[in-house]
Amino acid sequence: MKTILSFSILFCTIALPALAELMPQDLDKIRLIVNEEINKESSTTNQKIDKIDEKIDGLDTRIQNVEKDMSWVRGKLDGIEKQISHATNVTYGLIALIVVAIGIPAWHGKRDRDQERKIEALTAEVETLKQIVNP
């Protein structure tokens, strides 16, 4: 029991200075410490923001370079598309010429064959008529 009482008194004497009031000098010291910490944090934050701004500027220039390259590629693709369209139109024209070059003579040949058949039929008819008239 004596030990508990002695420890209680000891703890009360240790806790006694904690009930003291803060002096204006103490408050000023606390303010200085807080301000120093805020300044340190704000300076490191500003440095981090500056680094991020530099990285963003680097990304902006890279994006601009990519946009320039893409516009160059678009120009090249437009040129290639025009060339392909021109080649396609030339191919269609050549196909039409080939059809005309082969089709017209074939059509004339068919007409000539039809006329030859009619001529042969008429010739045969004339021969039969000659045989009938000249027995």
Side-chain angles (χ1 to χ4, degrees):
M1 185 75 177
K2 283 184 178 182
T3 56
I4 294 175
L5 184 64
S6 62
F7 278 126
S8 297
I9 293 171
L10 178 67
F11 289 140
C12 286
T13 57
I14 291 173
L16 208 59
L19 299 175
E21 292 183 19
L22 290 174
M23 302 298 284
Q25 296 86 6
D26 295 334
L27 292 174
D28 290 337
K29 287 180 183 178
I30 291 172
R31 283 187 195 110
L32 286 174
I33 292 171
V34 169
N35 285 337
E36 287 176 5
E37 290 297 319
I38 290 173
N39 288 339
K40 286 180 186 177
E41 288 180 15
S42 67
S43 66
T44 56
T45 305
N46 289 338
Q47 290 173 353
K48 289 178 182 178
I49 289 172
D50 291 340
K51 287 180 184 178
I52 290 172
D53 285 342
E54 289 174 6
K55 288 180 181 180
I56 289 173
D57 290 340
L59 288 175
D60 283 342
T61 55
R62 288 178 63 189
I63 288 172
Q64 289 173 356
N65 290 337
V66 168
E67 287 176 352
K68 288 177 186 176
D69 291 342
M70 288 301 295
S71 65
W72 178 79
V73 168
R74 281 190 194 119
K76 288 291 185 179
L77 286 176
D78 288 342
I80 290 171
E81 183 180 356
K82 288 178 183 176
Q83 287 178 352
I84 289 173
S85 174
H86 179 69
T88 303
N89 291 337
V90 168
T91 304
Y92 289 152
L94 289 175
I95 289 172
L97 285 175
I98 290 170
V99 167
V100 167
I102 293 173
I104 290 177
W107 182 63
H108 281 297
K110 181 182 177 190
R111 198 171 75 189
D112 289 343
R113 282 184 295 223
D114 288 342
Q115 287 178 354
E116 286 178 16
R117 283 188 201 135
K118 287 179 184 178
I119 291 172
E120 287 175 9
L122 289 174
T123 307
E125 211 174 304
V126 167
E127 290 294 325
T128 44
L129 287 176
K130 279 184 184 178
Q131 287 176 359
I132 292 174
V133 173
N134 291 335

